[in-house]
Structure formats: structure tokens, C-alpha cells
Amino acid sequence: MAQILLRGRTLSFLRWPEDTNDHAAYRYEEDGGLLIDGGKMVAAGSYADVAAAAAEGAKRIDHRPHLILPGFIDAHVHYPQMGVIASYGAELLDWLNTYTFPEETKFRDAQHGRRIARLFLDEVIRQGTTTVSAYCTVHKQSVEAFFAESHERNMLNIAGKVMMDRNAPEGLRDTPESGYDDTKALIAEWHGKGRQLYAVTPRFAITSSPEQMEMAGALMREFPDLHLQTHLAENRAEIAFTQELYPWSRDYTDVYEHYGLLGPRALFGHCIHLSEREADALSDSGSVAVFCPTSNLFLGSGLFDYQRYRRREKPLRIATATDVGGGTNYSMLRTMDEGYKVIALNGEKLNPLASFWQLTRGNAEALSIVDKAGTLGVGTDADVVVLNSRGTPAMKLRMETVDTLAEELFLLQTLGDDRAVAEVYVAGKEAKSALEASVP
Ligand code: GUN
Ligand code: ZN
């Protein structure tokens, strides 16, 4: 494969940006270059320096005046819920029973799973997202469909079979044994195959019996380098029901704690209604709280207190995510715009540099994949998004009065969507333009 040399305004974060003047937190090159070889970044810096290192036959692609960033990361999404997004009028438990569970039963059909996995990965790429942590359904074949489609595109994705053995309809339940066996078979087949990573995925405490929670804990002890993903403290009725199902527990977090499911690779979706004890337990174990603003607003679940969690004495590791189909948009730009508003309702602001840190490096750190994704660092995989800050007429007009990089990023976040995504590279291959070229 020939080298690829990209030219544009490169931006990559080194650490959390304290404020809009924290220029030491990132590396920005006005005339930047990025050299890609064999799907990896092999040089990054000023265009002059990088071009000097490129081979004679390198394919040169000039993206000026666009920004070149690491691809966005979505830390929690349900790919089988493409047919659920935009379902009217319910809070979490009714929404699950009325819309989500019936839709997920369709994934017993492998063909259906493959079709939706294809459309889902097409859609996230169109939006500039190059890595997701995805829930599949209870059906083993839904995971096979997802990983097959992801592997074919050479994407770095995390996914897992949802384990659920109670409080769900016929056709959407496994058993503690079959959930364990299917998960183990999927790990053997897919974890570490190409860029695929497996996440043990007990849906949440309500849909798993104590026996199944034991099995999830056993899997994590057997495979400690795996991710774990589940839901926690999203909705008041959910919390009350969990307390009834696990009457011995001190609180919701204690249920997962009891079965050994907390830890640095554990991703807890939502975490809106946490006591201080629960937040301490998450922090002490290095667990990750996943902020899903569009979903939390749409389902009326509550306001995640991002700044309080970040600043508390025992801070939480935080990731951000769409949570489609509870979430209402596939775009991480739209997601951070809503996140900004949720944080504003808590009386705080999230500076735009921090926002783009979160979408890239922050989410990569939270998913423990920063050695592979989330920066333009040499040696990492070449997953890249090219952003056009003049992607719509209204953005173009607003750009007339933008002076700083932070202002430009805030404009991208506030007005941007897929129209601001000029190109996406997955492991060094043009992915968005390839999709558009294949549309009949
Ligand atoms: N809790 C358990 N399952 C789900 C789901 O599919 N979506 C959301 N938002 N919360 C959940
Ligand atoms: Zn979810």
C-alpha cells in the first residue's frame, strides 16, 4: 500500500485543556502534514517536515483549509436500535418494553443483523466517528454480523452480546449458561481479530439474574483485559426496581461491585443519579461513567453533572456517547452540543477545546485505547476526520467573525453535523468519500 500524505490544519490533544487559552494542551499546525503508511501514522508535524519524510510515490491529498483531527469515538451506542431512534413518548422502562425489546427480537435473523450493521457503520463514518463501543442484542448472530462488517472495513470497534435472562420478552432472553457459553465463543472468535475488541455486556441489573451476574464476573476474571459495558443509575424507576431485585445492595453501584464488575475497563452508561458513595466506588476502581446527553434529555432521565464528577476529590473518568437509539443523533458534534447545554443547566460551561479533547483523546483514554486511537500520534492507527468549518451556508457566514481556533471548534460543535465532515480515513483508507461514491 502506498504512503498517503495529508495536508491541512492538524489538531491533536496532549492532555485536558483547562480553558480556551491552554495552548500547551494541544498540538496545532496551521500548515500541517500527516504521513500514513500501512494504516498507521508514521509522521506528523509541519507540512514541510512531513513532506520531506514522505516517499517519492506517496499519494498527496490536500485538505486545506480544513481541519484534520483524530476520528471521533462514541463510547456507548446500540447498533440494533437504528429502528428505534425517534420513538415517541416514553421514559426508560416503558421505552424499552414498548419499542426497544420488540425491535431487538428481529436480530435473531442473521441477515437482518448484517444489513443493520452495514447501515450503522456507514452512518457513523458519515458523521466522522471511527470507533464505537457497541451493544449488540442477546443473539450471538447479532455480534457476528457486527464484527464481520467492522472487520471488513478494518475499523477499531468494541462490541458485545447483550446478556439478559429476565424481565424481557420471550425470544430476547438467554440463560446464565448460554449467555456465558455464547460470550466465550464470541471472545474466542473475535477478540483481537484484526482491530476487533470484545466487551462483556450484561445489559443492566434489571435484566440479569444474580446467577447471570455471577457469570459476567467469572468472564471478567477469566479475561481481565476485556472491556465490560452496562447501564447504571439512568432513571429513578430503574433504580427503584433494581433495589427491589437486589434488596441486600447498598445502592445500584453495589450490585455491580458485588459481582466484581467495576474496574478500569468497565464502562457504565448514564450514571446520572449517583450518591457520593457510588461515585467514590467508581473512582476508586477506575471505572468510567459515560455521559449520553441526547439520550438523557430525550428519555427525560436527568442531567449528568460532568463538571462536578470531574472536579470532585475522587474524580470520575468520563467518556461521552450518543446512546442511539435512546440518543437522538449519530453525530458526536451534535452530542457535544447537547452536552454543553446539559452542563450549562448545571451552571457550568465546557470549553470547546475540552470538548474536542473529550471526543478524541478523552474518549480514547476512557476506553484504554489511546495507544491506538484518539490522537495523531506517530505509531497509532490512522483513523482521521477532516472537518469543514464552512460546511453549510450558515456556518460559512458565522466563520466570517471567527478569530481563534477555540471559536472555530465551538462553531463546529454548535452548528456542525455530517455536512461538516469532509472526509474520514479508517486505518488510512478514505472511508466517507468511498461510501458516497458507492451510492447509486
Ligand atoms: N438500559 C438498559 N437497556 C438500555 C438501552 O437499550 N438504552 C438505554 N438508554 N438504557 C438502557
Ligand atoms: Zn445504552
Side-chain angles (χ1 to χ4, degrees):
M1 200 171 20
Q3 285 187 339
I4 302 176
L5 175 59
L6 305 185
R7 186 172 193 176
R9 295 187 296 134
T10 51
L11 175 63
S12 181
F13 291 92
L14 305 169
R15 61 163 169 78
W16 165 266
E18 294 295 338
D19 56 44
T20 53
N21 293 315
D22 189 0
H23 306 301
Y26 61 89
R27 179 148 185 210
Y28 171 70
E29 294 279 353
E30 184 72 27
D31 186 7
L34 191 64
L35 186 63
I36 299 170
D37 199 348
K40 297 214 181 273
M41 323 253 190
V42 293
S46 75
Y47 181 73
D49 287 351
V50 175
E56 188 81 352
K59 179 175 174 184
R60 286 153 202 264
I61 305 174
D62 191 347
H63 284 300
R64 287 176 299 170
H66 300 336
L67 283 164
I68 298 177
L69 280 84
F72 299 146
I73 297 170
D74 181 349
H76 177 131
V77 63
H78 300 257
Y79 98 82
Q81 295 177 12
M82 286 194 94
V84 177
I85 190 170
S87 291
Y88 170 76
E91 285 205 359
L92 176 65
L93 299 180
D94 286 340
W95 175 85
L96 285 170
N97 288 319
T98 310
Y99 300 113
T100 308
F101 290 162
E103 185 66 23
E104 291 194 7
T105 59
K106 296 179 186 167
F107 287 74
R108 67 177 174 271
D109 172 3
Q111 299 284 335
H112 179 71
R114 192 65 193 250
R115 170 171 176 254
I116 303 300
R118 182 173 68 248
L119 292 171
F120 175 80
L121 292 175
D122 284 356
E123 182 60 26
V124 301
I125 286 168
R126 287 183 56 259
Q127 303 284 356
T129 298
T130 49
T131 290
V132 301
S133 188
Y135 287 65
C136 304
T137 66
V138 73
H139 313 94
K140 193 172 171 226
Q141 55 273 31
S142 75
V143 188
E144 284 161 348
F146 181 85
F147 276 137
E149 198 58 48
S150 172
H151 185 55
E152 210 170 283
R153 296 160 194 249
N154 205 10
M155 286 180 84
L156 168 54
N157 283 314
I158 302 168
K161 185 200 101 77
V162 164
M163 301 165 76
M164 49 196 293
D165 67 348
R166 65 170 172 180
N167 292 314
E170 180 71 41
L172 211 59
R173 291 192 304 264
D174 55 9
T175 65
E177 294 71 27
S178 75
Y180 174 87
D181 291 345
D182 285 352
T183 298
K184 234 175 137 156
L186 288 163
I187 293 165
E189 190 181 351
W190 289 105
H191 183 65
K193 181 165 177 174
R195 307 181 70 204
Q196 311 315 309
L197 298 174
Y198 197 87
V200 174
T201 310
R203 183 173 207 125
F204 64 160
I206 290 177
T207 47
S208 285
S209 64
E211 295 72 27
Q212 182 158 74
M213 297 292 253
E214 293 277 7
M215 292 296 197
L219 285 163
M220 290 313 291
R221 283 191 299 280
E222 275 179 74
F223 302 97
D225 65 324
L226 292 190
H227 289 85
L228 176 132
Q229 56 185 355
T230 188
H231 297 85
L232 172 62
E234 176 175 3
N235 166 289
R236 300 272 183 209
E238 171 211 20
I239 295 169
F241 191 20
T242 302
Q243 193 65 55
E244 277 177 41
L245 292 170
Y246 292 92
W248 48 262
S249 64
R250 287 173 288 181
D251 46 48
Y252 195 163
T253 303
D254 193 31
V255 176
Y256 297 130
E257 211 174 334
H258 178 84
Y259 295 103
L261 304 184
L262 271 53
R265 300 178 89 84
L267 311 169
F268 291 99
H270 305 285
C271 295
I272 300 167
H273 311 286
L274 293 180
S275 67
E276 292 303 317
R277 193 211 77 79
E278 292 180 279
D280 282 352
L282 292 181
S283 178
D284 288 342
S285 59
S287 301
V288 175
V290 187
F291 179 27
C292 308
T294 71
S295 171
N296 298 346
L297 293 171
F298 180 75
L299 294 174
S301 303
L303 304 176
F304 181 96
D305 205 342
Y306 185 99
Q307 298 290 35
R308 180 174 70 84
Y309 286 158
R310 210 177 53 76
R311 285 206 206 104
R312 65 197 300 280
E313 197 174 319
K314 291 185 171 184
L316 294 194
R317 295 174 70 207
I318 297 174
T320 52
T322 64
D323 190 34
V324 162
T328 53
N329 208 292
Y330 294 88
S331 163
M332 289 304 293
L333 293 172
R334 305 295 341 108
T335 298
M336 288 313 290
D337 180 42
E338 296 304 299
Y340 177 87
K341 296 171 196 172
V342 168
I343 292 165
L345 282 169
N346 279 322
E348 304 259 5
K349 297 287 185 276
L350 183 65
N351 89 68
L353 293 172
S355 209
F356 278 75
W357 168 87
Q358 181 73 71
L359 286 178
T360 56
R361 187 182 189 116
N363 278 356
E365 286 180 357
L367 299 184
S368 307
I369 53 170
V370 77
D371 56 327
K372 304 183 188 76
T375 73
L376 301 180
V378 167
T380 66
D381 300 342
D383 295 336
V384 172
V385 60
V386 181
L387 296 176
N388 176 8
S389 305
R390 296 176 183 79
T392 70
M395 292 175 77
K396 190 165 178 228
L397 169 75
R398 181 64 179 81
M399 272 298 282
E400 290 175 10
T401 47
V402 160
D403 293 322
T404 66
L405 177 64
E407 287 173 9
E408 182 177 356
L409 294 176
F410 197 55
L411 161 67
L412 274 163
Q413 171 182 299
T414 310
L415 292 181
D417 53 32
D418 55 309
R419 294 167 296 177
V421 177
E423 183 58 286
V424 173
Y425 295 86
V426 171
K429 270 178 75 176
E430 289 143 298
K432 179 161 178 171
S433 53
L435 285 177
E436 281 158 7
S438 71
V439 171

